[in-house]
Amino acid sequence: MKNITDSFLCFIYWPSARSFGFDTDILATNLINLSVVLGVLIFFGKGVLSDLLDNRKQRILRTIQNSEELREAAVEQLEKARSRLRKVETEADRFRVNGYSEIEREKLNLINSIYTTLEQFENYKNETIHFEQQRAINQVQQRVLQQALQGALGTLNSCLNNELHLRTIGANIDMFGAMKEKNN
């Protein structure tokens, strides 16, 4: 202990020593100086250090609180997003199912419409064929009748002479006269 006291006192004016000196015991001198510096720092710096630590503690607490609030907001947004995703997936599934059933309905409607149209075309075709057959039959009948009339006129003209013609006219007049008498 003597060395520590001697070392500490070497920096203080000592009237009997008449001069300052250096203590060559480095370890003892450093410990004393360090103790003095720490004591002064603790005594005077205690408030400043306490304030700095309190400020730091408050900033850390605010940061933690802000982080918690942000985390809670993020969790809430995540839940909302998941809820919306579930709704959208449900809606997409419903649209997909409705879309498939709508496609099937449209396909069946289209098939039925095409079938109906084909039936109508078949009926129109049959009617057209029947009409064309009737027209062809009528044309053939007219042609045959025309040729028969021409043949009959030709035969009549070649067979009729004046005498036969006069007799036919006379017979027809007699027939009309008998009919007239009968009606009266």
Side-chain angles (χ1 to χ4, degrees), residues 132-161:
E132 289 297 324
Q133 285 175 344
Q134 287 298 326
R135 197 174 90 186
I137 289 171
N138 288 339
Q139 285 178 351
V140 168
Q141 285 176 348
Q142 285 177 358
R143 179 82 49 130
V144 168
L145 183 61
Q146 193 177 35
Q147 287 176 356
L149 286 175
Q150 284 177 355
L153 282 175
T155 302
L156 283 175
N157 285 334
S158 65
C159 291
L160 282 180
N161 54 23

Side-chain angles (χ1 to χ4, degrees), residues 21 33 88 92 95 98 102 107 112 116 151 159-160 162 174 176:
N33 289 337
V88 167
F95 282 141
N98 288 343
E102 184 67 27
K107 184 173 96 175
N112 290 336
T116 304
C159 291
L160 282 180
N162 282 337
D174 289 338
F176 283 128

Side-chain angles (χ1 to χ4, degrees), residues 126-136:
N126 291 337
E127 288 176 8
T128 304
I129 289 172
H130 182 71
F131 176 75
E132 289 297 324
Q133 285 175 344
Q134 287 298 326
R135 197 174 90 186

Side-chain angles (χ1 to χ4, degrees), residues 42-55:
I42 289 173
F43 181 75
F44 290 110
K46 183 178 177 181
V48 173
L49 186 60
S50 176
D51 288 343
L52 286 175
L53 289 176
D54 285 341
N55 287 341

